[in-house]
Amino acid sequence: MNNCVIKLEDLKKNYKMGSVDIYALRGINMEILEGEFVSIMGPSGCGKSTLLNVLGCLDKPTEGKYYLNGCDISLLDDDTLSDMRCNYLGFVFQSYNLIPQLSVVENIEIPLYYQGVSPNESRKKAIEIASRVGLAERLYHKPTELSGGQQQRVGIARALVNNPLVILADEPTGNLDSKSGKEIMDIFIELHTQGKTIIMVTHDENIARYGERIIRLKDGLIEKDERVLSKIGATT
Amino acid sequence: MGFKSLWLHRLRSLLTMLGIVFGVASVIAMLAVGEGASQVAQEQIRRLGSKNIIVRSVKPALEQKATGQRSRAIEYGITWEDATRIRSSIPDVEVLVPNRIIRDVVWNTQWRVDGQIVGTVSWYPEMRQLRIIEGRYFTEPEVAGIKNVCVLSINTITDLFPNGSPVGKSVRIGSDYYKVIGIIEDEGGIGTASQSQNFLVQTSETKNTTERRSENLSYQGKMGKRDEGKGPGATPQYRIYIPITAAQKRFGETLVRRTTGTFEAERVELHELIVMVNMENRVEEVARVVDSILQKYHKQRDYELTIPLELLRQAERTKQIFNLVLGTIAGISLLVGGIGIMNIMLATVTERTREIGIRRALGARKRDIILQFLVETIIMSGTGGLMGIGLGLFIPYLITYFASMPTIIRLWSPLVAFGISAGIGIIFGIYPALRAANMDPVEALRHE
């Protein structure tokens, strides 16, 4: 039996927007096992992003428990949360979020820098990861000199470089055409087959079906948690 | 990392740094000018001798316009008798130097200078700490024997003897010839600026000026007082030293001055009397006694006292005030530079909100973000400080070169300036850095 890496117990999150209280998450219960590839789907405003922020330790839950690798996140201080992000999580963003001043390899190195890895070793590691996602030729280019698909590969490489427990992807193909989108998803499938735990937020049914499990959110609650029977990735 | 982002905004960083650059440069330059000026002033005063009291004859104000009495000579000033009295009544007095100072033209065949002929005694150079550059000074027997010998101050040489050493040759003053036996250092000191040359070495010869000091200006507060029309760049004092006996004999007691259309005769026994006290801490006391002795025998105040020691103290006080003012100005300019840096850093933080969000999401702690921005500020202010030191070391050189003002750069001044600039970087960098670190990562990531 695989380990449970993420466990949510009646997780609630409200925040104030102006004078209005917004109940973004209203009691989520779920478990995600090591090696799972989970897609989180739902219409806009259903709480997808809020859930991803909480899962990514960027935001603390208002109520309820969130265990990441067995550790209760709601009890941790800011520095420890940073350490959790640094050691257990890898982020892939819709808009890539690369630092434009830095080259490809430098962007990939950022998480290692905060882990305190020596410059030599982190350079070696970054180059290795970059080659794995097909960026060996582009190491010293600036992000602006790359196509969208290539930029997202940099994003994935950066999320992988610290060998995280969970990869959190927020609409990773949202800014890409379907061809590069598929290439990116192929990388995710490959990572999944290597045993990585992936949680991906999307509102595209076709993309969601690359995963093996789809969690559908509606109005801050889980509407449906289903297994994917005809996986796209498996058929291609 | 810090260098990189600064390099990316080269122009902006440079402009931001300029505040610090000029702040630091002005600190160093101002300190150098201040030190230079005070050094010269102190050197001048020290040359007068910290154990000396200088008594000078001054034409009294009341007697000056004795209307229509052109034929009568005006009699004033310190006398031989005064000298004897001071010598015999004050035990602390070690040496006395009486001087007569006469203005006349000095000739060497066709070359001439408007000189000051100083009739004095053989131990004069020793008292004034003047160095003999060539030849020798006249001796006591020469003074006693009323010999026509003279010693020239070094600055007269170029105008009077452009063709080589004057020692052994003769100069003519009036109808008398004097054998040149030596060359002596200028009283202003070698290599000092002309500005300060007039600073203290005032001539005792009385000028036809109506402006005369009031009675209460006795022996205090003479710093900075100058003869009129002798600003920086005025002609230097050409001095020719002869035995005082010769001065008395050849020029007589009565001196005649020709001013436009009138003759003015004055009778002055001694123009200057230097009293050397045996101990430095007795100088001021002795000065008071000298003053009271002179007061007793002089109906009007036709003399003035100068105490170099007093001037030295005054110079030190002035320097302290000067430093305080400079410090304030420099402090303000550095403050302005610091605010400039803070301003830019705040703008940078806003501009890079998204980067901060990304870094936070990838595992940066608050302190990593603080460090990142603080390092940038410190690099900026530190580089600005170094550039400022470069500029600050160069400016005094320019000042010395073009304005011929002496400047002295003390080793500590660039160090202090650099330390302050680095400190400013930290102080003004902390707030923007904290602001960056305290951003909500979720908000920061959403920032466009």
Short mmCIF file of all heavy atoms in Angstrom, two decimals, chain B residues 42-69:
data_model
loop_
_atom_site.label_atom_id
_atom_site.label_comp_id
_atom_site.label_asym_id
_atom_site.label_seq_id
_atom_site.Cartn_x
_atom_site.Cartn_y
_atom_site.Cartn_z
N GLN B 42 47.90 76.51 11.66
CA GLN B 42 48.61 76.09 12.87
C GLN B 42 50.12 76.15 12.67
O GLN B 42 50.86 76.50 13.58
CB GLN B 42 48.18 74.68 13.25
CG GLN B 42 46.72 74.66 13.65
CD GLN B 42 46.33 73.41 14.36
OE1 GLN B 42 47.18 72.58 14.67
NE2 GLN B 42 45.06 73.26 14.61
N GLU B 43 50.54 75.81 11.45
CA GLU B 43 51.97 75.85 11.16
C GLU B 43 52.48 77.30 11.26
O GLU B 43 53.53 77.56 11.82
CB GLU B 43 52.19 75.29 9.74
CG GLU B 43 53.62 75.25 9.28
CD GLU B 43 54.52 74.47 10.21
OE1 GLU B 43 54.03 73.48 10.80
OE2 GLU B 43 55.69 74.86 10.37
N GLN B 44 51.66 78.20 10.72
CA GLN B 44 51.99 79.62 10.78
C GLN B 44 52.15 80.08 12.22
O GLN B 44 53.12 80.76 12.56
CB GLN B 44 50.84 80.43 10.17
CG GLN B 44 50.69 80.27 8.69
CD GLN B 44 51.56 81.25 7.97
OE1 GLN B 44 51.58 82.41 8.31
NE2 GLN B 44 52.31 80.77 7.03
N ILE B 45 51.19 79.69 13.00
CA ILE B 45 51.19 80.14 14.39
C ILE B 45 52.36 79.51 15.14
O ILE B 45 53.07 80.17 15.89
CB ILE B 45 49.85 79.77 15.06
CG1 ILE B 45 48.72 80.51 14.37
CG2 ILE B 45 49.88 80.09 16.54
CD1 ILE B 45 47.36 79.93 14.65
N ARG B 46 52.58 78.24 14.86
CA ARG B 46 53.67 77.55 15.54
C ARG B 46 55.01 78.21 15.19
O ARG B 46 55.91 78.29 15.99
CB ARG B 46 53.68 76.08 15.14
CG ARG B 46 54.07 75.20 16.28
CD ARG B 46 53.71 73.76 16.02
NE ARG B 46 52.32 73.47 16.29
CZ ARG B 46 51.52 72.83 15.44
NH1 ARG B 46 51.97 72.44 14.26
NH2 ARG B 46 50.28 72.58 15.77
N ARG B 47 55.06 78.69 13.95
CA ARG B 47 56.28 79.34 13.50
C ARG B 47 56.53 80.64 14.26
O ARG B 47 57.66 81.04 14.49
CB ARG B 47 56.17 79.64 12.01
CG ARG B 47 57.48 79.71 11.32
CD ARG B 47 57.22 79.69 9.85
NE ARG B 47 57.18 78.33 9.36
CZ ARG B 47 58.27 77.67 9.00
NH1 ARG B 47 59.45 78.22 9.12
NH2 ARG B 47 58.19 76.45 8.53
N LEU B 48 55.45 81.30 14.61
CA LEU B 48 55.59 82.50 15.42
C LEU B 48 56.13 82.14 16.79
O LEU B 48 56.63 82.99 17.51
CB LEU B 48 54.26 83.22 15.56
CG LEU B 48 53.70 83.86 14.29
CD1 LEU B 48 52.34 84.45 14.57
CD2 LEU B 48 54.63 84.93 13.77
N GLY B 49 55.99 80.92 17.14
CA GLY B 49 56.52 80.44 18.40
C GLY B 49 55.47 80.39 19.48
O GLY B 49 54.85 81.40 19.79
N SER B 50 55.24 79.21 20.01
CA SER B 50 54.17 79.09 20.99
C SER B 50 54.58 79.70 22.33
O SER B 50 53.74 79.95 23.18
CB SER B 50 53.82 77.62 21.17
OG SER B 50 54.95 76.91 21.56
N LYS B 51 55.87 79.97 22.49
CA LYS B 51 56.31 80.59 23.75
C LYS B 51 56.47 82.09 23.60
O LYS B 51 56.92 82.76 24.52
CB LYS B 51 57.66 80.00 24.18
CG LYS B 51 57.58 78.61 24.77
CD LYS B 51 58.98 78.10 24.86
CE LYS B 51 59.23 77.06 25.90
NZ LYS B 51 60.67 76.76 25.95
N ASN B 52 56.15 82.59 22.40
CA ASN B 52 56.42 84.01 22.14
C ASN B 52 55.22 84.90 22.37
O ASN B 52 54.08 84.49 22.25
CB ASN B 52 56.86 84.19 20.68
CG ASN B 52 58.19 83.53 20.42
OD1 ASN B 52 58.82 83.01 21.33
ND2 ASN B 52 58.59 83.52 19.17
N ILE B 53 55.55 86.13 22.70
CA ILE B 53 54.54 87.19 22.71
C ILE B 53 55.08 88.24 21.75
O ILE B 53 56.26 88.61 21.83
CB ILE B 53 54.38 87.82 24.11
CG1 ILE B 53 53.96 86.75 25.11
CG2 ILE B 53 53.38 88.96 24.07
CD1 ILE B 53 54.14 87.20 26.55
N ILE B 54 54.27 88.68 20.83
CA ILE B 54 54.75 89.65 19.87
C ILE B 54 54.09 90.99 20.15
O ILE B 54 52.87 91.10 20.17
CB ILE B 54 54.46 89.19 18.43
CG1 ILE B 54 55.13 87.83 18.19
CG2 ILE B 54 54.94 90.21 17.42
CD1 ILE B 54 54.61 87.09 17.00
N VAL B 55 54.93 91.97 20.40
CA VAL B 55 54.42 93.32 20.65
C VAL B 55 54.74 94.14 19.42
O VAL B 55 55.87 94.12 18.94
CB VAL B 55 55.09 93.96 21.88
CG1 VAL B 55 54.42 95.28 22.24
CG2 VAL B 55 55.05 93.01 23.07
N ARG B 56 53.76 94.81 18.89
CA ARG B 56 54.00 95.60 17.68
C ARG B 56 53.58 97.05 17.88
O ARG B 56 52.59 97.33 18.55
CB ARG B 56 53.20 95.04 16.52
CG ARG B 56 53.83 93.80 15.99
CD ARG B 56 52.98 93.17 14.95
NE ARG B 56 53.67 91.98 14.47
CZ ARG B 56 53.05 90.85 14.16
NH1 ARG B 56 51.76 90.76 14.29
NH2 ARG B 56 53.74 89.82 13.73
N SER B 57 54.30 97.90 17.25
CA SER B 57 53.93 99.31 17.31
C SER B 57 52.79 99.57 16.36
O SER B 57 52.78 99.08 15.25
CB SER B 57 55.12 100.17 16.91
OG SER B 57 56.15 100.02 17.85
N VAL B 58 51.86 100.36 16.83
CA VAL B 58 50.69 100.66 16.02
C VAL B 58 50.46 102.15 16.09
O VAL B 58 50.49 102.74 17.17
CB VAL B 58 49.46 99.91 16.59
CG1 VAL B 58 48.19 100.40 15.93
CG2 VAL B 58 49.62 98.43 16.40
N LYS B 59 50.23 102.72 14.95
CA LYS B 59 50.01 104.16 14.95
C LYS B 59 48.67 104.43 15.63
O LYS B 59 47.65 103.88 15.23
CB LYS B 59 49.98 104.68 13.53
CG LYS B 59 49.96 106.20 13.47
CD LYS B 59 49.73 106.68 12.06
CE LYS B 59 51.06 106.77 11.32
NZ LYS B 59 50.87 107.39 10.01
N PRO B 60 48.66 105.28 16.67
CA PRO B 60 47.40 105.49 17.38
C PRO B 60 46.41 106.25 16.50
O PRO B 60 46.80 107.06 15.68
CB PRO B 60 47.81 106.33 18.60
CG PRO B 60 49.12 106.93 18.23
CD PRO B 60 49.78 106.04 17.23
N ALA B 61 45.18 105.97 16.73
CA ALA B 61 44.13 106.51 15.87
C ALA B 61 43.96 108.02 16.04
O ALA B 61 43.75 108.73 15.08
CB ALA B 61 42.81 105.81 16.18
N LEU B 62 44.09 108.49 17.29
CA LEU B 62 43.78 109.89 17.57
C LEU B 62 44.76 110.84 16.90
O LEU B 62 44.38 111.85 16.36
CB LEU B 62 43.79 110.13 19.09
CG LEU B 62 42.74 109.34 19.85
CD1 LEU B 62 42.93 109.52 21.35
CD2 LEU B 62 41.34 109.79 19.42
N GLU B 63 46.01 110.44 16.94
CA GLU B 63 47.03 111.36 16.48
C GLU B 63 47.16 111.41 14.97
O GLU B 63 47.85 112.24 14.43
CB GLU B 63 48.38 110.96 17.07
CG GLU B 63 49.36 112.11 17.13
CD GLU B 63 49.91 112.28 18.53
OE1 GLU B 63 49.17 112.01 19.49
OE2 GLU B 63 51.06 112.65 18.65
N GLN B 64 46.47 110.51 14.32
CA GLN B 64 46.75 110.37 12.90
C GLN B 64 46.44 111.62 12.09
O GLN B 64 47.22 112.03 11.25
CB GLN B 64 45.95 109.21 12.33
CG GLN B 64 46.45 108.97 10.93
CD GLN B 64 45.89 107.70 10.37
OE1 GLN B 64 45.10 107.02 11.00
NE2 GLN B 64 46.35 107.37 9.20
N LYS B 65 45.30 112.23 12.36
CA LYS B 65 44.96 113.43 11.60
C LYS B 65 45.30 114.68 12.40
O LYS B 65 44.42 115.38 12.89
CB LYS B 65 43.48 113.42 11.20
CG LYS B 65 43.20 112.49 10.03
CD LYS B 65 43.73 113.07 8.72
CE LYS B 65 43.82 111.97 7.67
NZ LYS B 65 44.61 112.29 6.51
N ALA B 66 46.57 114.89 12.58
CA ALA B 66 46.99 116.16 13.18
C ALA B 66 47.00 117.16 12.05
O ALA B 66 47.99 117.36 11.38
CB ALA B 66 48.36 116.02 13.81
N THR B 67 45.87 117.77 11.84
CA THR B 67 45.64 118.50 10.60
C THR B 67 46.67 119.60 10.36
O THR B 67 46.92 120.43 11.21
CB THR B 67 44.24 119.13 10.60
OG1 THR B 67 44.00 119.62 11.91
CG2 THR B 67 43.18 118.10 10.24
N GLY B 68 47.22 119.57 9.21
CA GLY B 68 48.12 120.64 8.79
C GLY B 68 49.51 120.53 9.34
O GLY B 68 50.42 121.20 8.88
N GLN B 69 49.71 119.67 10.29
CA GLN B 69 51.05 119.59 10.89
C GLN B 69 51.92 118.64 10.10
O GLN B 69 52.27 117.57 10.56
CB GLN B 69 50.93 119.12 12.34
CG GLN B 69 50.30 120.16 13.22
CD GLN B 69 50.46 119.80 14.66
OE1 GLN B 69 50.48 118.64 15.01
NE2 GLN B 69 50.60 120.80 15.51
#
